[in-house]
Amino acid sequence: MRYLGIDTSGSVAAVALYDTEQDIFLSQQCLYTKKTHSQVILPLVERTLQDCNLTPADLNGIAVAIGPGSYTGLRIGVAAVKAMTFALHLPCFGISTLESLAYQAATADGLCSAVMKARQNLVYAGLYENQNGKLQAIVKDGLYDIEKWTSILQQQAAPILMTGDAAMQFSNKTTMVAPAAVRLQNATGLCLAAKYHTPQTPEQLEANYLQLVKAEKERQKQAAV
């Protein structure tokens, strides 16, 4: 099985191609960019396939980060994967950005916390346990203030591997910060997670922002008046 992973949830646009039978990544490309993801993500996909001497017909599924992350970035990635899987008649996999970060960083059994900057004193965070390469959620993904997430981490008995762009904020004697090479989204975790997820249809694929978008907040305010 060949899985393509696409991540546009943050500042990094990333694509990875994973061969499950050989358990190797045939290609992995990422670009820390200020350009709009819509400008770079499809060229990255095209180059990835060309470099591996493959075509879209050689793929068995596409995994995409569905959030949390940049609202615009997530919409671009989800829309691209919806279109690609619909046109190619392929299954798709909507994977939590936090789960993907944990998969790409957690190389040994134990606890891994993925944390991403949100706003002010808030972070998106999730806590996972790695058991022989498969992750199980211990504390579900959510939007937490830093003090609350620090308290959750302090309640854990084992050392915790921290990953994500907010990992350094939780560096202390009981945590280990993942190396820079796997701390930001690189799409490899999407492919690894897809092995354990149920395939979806393009119609089922949706972004999960973990908080209300601005338009929804405004509607709630108006409804409360």
Side-chain angles (χ1 to χ4, degrees):
M1 303 285 280
R2 297 188 185 99
Y3 289 146
L4 186 73
I6 295 177
D7 198 317
T8 57
S9 62
S11 298
V12 176
V15 175
L17 182 58
Y18 179 55
D19 187 317
T20 63
E21 293 183 10
Q22 298 182 71
D23 191 26
I24 60 171
F25 281 92
L26 303 177
S27 177
Q28 191 277 315
Q29 301 189 53
C30 57
L31 180 64
Y32 194 94
T33 178
K34 293 184 179 180
K35 291 183 178 180
T36 304
H37 283 311
S38 59
Q39 296 177 269
V40 298
I41 196 64
L42 291 181
L44 280 179
V45 170
E46 184 177 13
R47 189 167 68 206
T48 295
L49 292 174
Q50 287 178 346
D51 289 348
C52 296
N53 197 28
L54 297 173
T55 70
D58 295 311
L59 298 176
N60 299 104
I62 304 177
V64 64
I66 59 171
S70 159
Y71 292 168
T72 301
L74 291 171
R75 287 194 290 267
I76 290 170
V78 168
V81 172
K82 275 177 171 284
M84 292 170 64
T85 52
F86 179 81
L88 297 169
H89 303 288
L90 288 175
C92 52
F93 302 86
I95 308 295
S96 154
T97 312
L98 295 166
E99 181 182 352
S100 174
L101 283 167
Y103 261 106
Q104 70 187 42
T107 56
D109 286 358
L111 297 179
C112 180
S113 173
V115 284
M116 296 169 56
K117 297 175 183 176
R119 63 183 188 278
Q120 298 174 345
N121 200 43
L122 299 173
V123 292
Y124 299 112
L127 182 64
Y128 301 86
E129 183 175 11
N130 183 8
Q131 299 176 341
N132 297 319
K134 182 179 181 180
L135 298 188
Q136 178 181 354
I138 303 300
V139 180
K140 68 178 183 178
D141 295 355
L143 183 65
Y144 301 87
D145 66 58
I146 292 176
E147 290 185 1
K148 174 63 175 178
W149 194 249
T150 298
S151 175
I152 290 173
L153 295 178
Q154 290 173 343
Q155 295 171 22
Q156 311 305 316
I160 302 170
L161 177 65
M162 306 299 302
T163 190
D165 64 5
M168 298 296 293
Q169 295 178 243
F170 299 89
S171 177
N172 57 54
K173 294 181 180 179
T174 62
T175 64
M176 301 170 290
V177 176
V182 293
R183 204 182 306 144
L184 297 182
Q185 296 94 314
N186 65 22
T188 60
L190 295 172
C191 300
L192 295 173
K195 294 192 300 181
Y196 303 105
H197 278 251
T198 301
Q200 297 172 279
T201 65
E203 293 80 7
Q204 294 172 319
L205 189 63
E206 298 292 341
N208 181 17
Y209 304 111
L210 290 186
Q211 63 173 317
L212 297 178
V213 298
K214 184 177 180 180
E216 292 174 330
K217 291 178 182 177
E218 292 297 328
R219 281 198 294 270
Q220 288 191 357
K221 287 182 180 179
Q222 293 175 0
V225 174

